Amino acid sequence: MSGLSGATDTEEKAAPVDDRRNLVKALVAAGWTYGGRAAGLGWTIALTFHLGIGAYGQYAMAFALGAIIAAPLDNPFAVRAIREAEDAFAAERVTRILLGLGLMGVGASCLAAPYLVWFALIVAGGEIAFNAVKSRALRDGHPDRVMRFDTTRQVVSIAMAVGYLQFVPSADLETASFCYLAPYLVIAVYAATLVPRTRPGVPGSARLIAILFGEHLANALYMQGDILLLGAVTDSDVAGYFAIVSTVGWAAGQVGMSLAGTYHEQLRAAGGAVTAGPPVKHVVIMAVATSALVMGAGFVLLATPYSSELAWALVVISLFVALRVMNNVLTTVLYVQRRDVVRSAAAAVLVPVKLGLVCALAGFGAVGAAIASVVTDAILFAIYVRSVRPEGLVTGEDETARQG
């Protein structure tokens, strides 16, 4: 296998594949994910109830900007963490921590700047540092542990922020946001204790870093840019509705990444051969079942006096969920196959398509933005299906990691 994967004889050996056990781990990870998203929904309701949908829209746009900042900076580390040798992983994790702590420091120094700026920077840095802490469990094929960490952090953040909103008279968005950010300070202190253990390392060559940075800059714009754009061309209320729908869609689709994550070791050992990944039957079942749950939630919401725009947007986004589950599995396989240029080019091409559709369908509000998400993820699915190599072979032309 080392000829296919570039692995040496000193690298860790993959454990035997147990598809049922991996499926259970993925479902546990999904359970943690959905538990966290349920808490997030409670946070959305509390913030909207106390401060209005406009305040939630401001928060959602600031969080989206934080993701756009963090994603491209973190992606070179995230991709290499699941496929490179142990020494490289350990060294790059230290650099990843230092980057996250640095961004948090910059955000703290910008507290006099607009809310959108300082909140986005602190969230971006906190997420990068947290991702570094979680990277060991993710590398070793334990997405259930990763999502447990994620959900625990989120629940603590939300509990502190909701407690402030509930019990402090004349509450405001800025102070509520400080409460939400508090757990990141604990994470930062813990992450800092990992730094002295290993010398920092660079995640590949300049060319590889540029490719992976560009890929996730485009991905971040693809995932979060629609919220910012919709808020700019309509208002923060519409952005707030779509932010809720988008959060549900991306969270539900995460089960695909969780399922693929349980096969990291096997995929790494097999050089990304599709047969070493999750069975197609399991992927399709998860995609259909998750999509049906979101669609059902949308139809239930239609029977209530709440916003029909939000309900119909949930129904539409359920189609995106099925596509996203499958795309997340294919993305993981392409990571291990080192098809970095393919992923980066696909993201770069689809960003203007999606944002253009959001503008064109802005008159339909959150529903129009949901339609844009479905169309572009369908195109991405077609690209990925044609690009993935079933045998997992990597050529010199595509193996960008050889240059890193």
Side-chain angles (χ1 to χ4, degrees):
M1 289 298 181
S2 61
L4 297 180
S5 64
T8 66
D9 293 336
T10 60
E11 280 198 71
E12 67 269 27
K13 302 296 184 182
V17 178
D18 184 343
D19 289 327
R20 289 185 178 180
R21 182 170 180 268
N22 285 353
L23 185 60
V24 169
K25 288 166 68 176
L27 290 172
V28 171
W32 279 108
T33 300
Y34 299 151
R37 294 309 182 264
L41 179 60
W43 165 234
T44 299
I45 293 170
L47 184 56
T48 302
F49 176 79
H50 288 281
L51 302 179
I53 188 66
Y56 176 73
Q58 293 178 51
Y59 162 83
M61 288 189 284
F63 206 97
L65 180 59
I68 291 171
I69 294 170
L73 292 173
D74 195 50
N75 194 47
F77 302 99
V79 171
R80 288 171 59 87
I82 67 173
R83 74 187 189 194
E84 300 302 329
E86 178 65 26
D87 289 347
F89 161 74
E92 291 168 21
R93 183 172 65 164
V94 172
T95 306
R96 197 177 186 182
I97 291 170
L98 294 174
L99 176 60
L101 297 182
L103 271 177
M104 291 182 74
V106 173
S109 69
C110 293
L111 292 179
Y115 170 80
L116 189 72
V117 175
W118 63 259
F119 184 82
L121 286 169
I122 296 176
V123 165
E127 280 297 307
I128 291 174
F130 195 24
N131 287 341
V133 171
K134 295 181 295 182
S135 59
R136 166 57 65 189
L138 186 63
R139 173 180 172 83
D140 292 345
H142 301 295
D144 48 330
R145 297 179 190 173
V146 173
M147 296 317 302
R148 186 177 74 230
F149 299 153
D150 256 344
T151 298
T152 301
R153 193 283 308 162
Q154 188 176 22
V155 168
V156 173
S157 289
I158 291 169
M160 295 181 69
V162 171
Y164 163 75
L165 291 174
Q166 185 68 34
F167 298 110
V168 176
S170 303
D172 60 81
L173 178 61
E174 289 76 12
T175 307
S177 297
F178 281 127
C179 294
Y180 184 91
L181 292 171
Y184 284 112
L185 298 179
V186 178
I187 292 167
V189 171
Y190 175 75
T193 66
L194 303 176
V195 171
R197 301 181 187 179
T198 309
R199 295 185 63 178
V202 178
S205 68
R207 179 175 183 269
L208 177 62
I209 291 172
I211 290 171
L212 296 178
F213 178 93
E215 175 195 6
H216 246 47
L217 175 59
N219 280 342
L221 291 170
Y222 185 81
M223 294 173 63
Q224 304 287 346
D226 47 6
I227 297 174
L228 288 168
L229 180 61
L230 192 62
V233 298
T234 57
D235 55 48
S236 59
D237 287 4
V238 175
Y241 285 132
F242 180 65
I244 295 171
V245 170
S246 180
T247 299
V248 170
W250 286 101
Q254 182 67 30
V255 69
M257 193 67 76
S258 296
L259 177 61
T262 63
Y263 290 83
H264 279 167
E265 291 179 292
Q266 290 78 22
L267 283 166
R268 196 160 59 240
V274 173
T275 52
V280 174
K281 178 176 70 174
H282 291 175
V283 177
V284 172
I285 289 173
M286 278 198 165
V288 172
T290 311
S291 175
L293 286 173
V294 175
M295 183 177 291
F299 281 123
V300 168
L301 193 60
L302 276 173
T304 71
Y306 294 105
S307 169
S308 61
E309 178 181 356
L310 180 62
W312 280 115
L314 274 175
V315 171
V316 174
I317 211 70
S318 68
L319 304 177
F320 164 85
V321 168
L323 291 163
R324 181 43 46 181
V325 170
M326 296 184 288
N327 280 338
N328 278 340
V329 173
L330 290 170
T331 297
T332 301
V333 175
L334 290 169
Y335 279 161
V336 183
Q337 290 186 359
R338 305 178 188 269
R339 305 302 305 281
D340 302 325
V341 175
V342 169
R343 297 191 320 275
S344 182
V349 168
L350 287 178
V351 165
V353 174
K354 184 177 186 181
L355 297 183
L357 284 171
V358 169
C359 283
L361 299 171
F364 297 97
V367 176
I371 292 171
S373 297
V374 173
V375 172
T376 47
D377 238 49
I379 298 172
L380 183 65
F381 177 71
I383 293 172
Y384 278 4
V385 166
R386 290 181 59 87
S387 300
V388 72
R389 289 175 170 164
E391 72 283 0
L393 292 174
V394 178
T395 68
E397 176 183 357
D398 293 317
E399 190 178 356
T400 54
R402 286 181 179 173
Q403 300 161 21

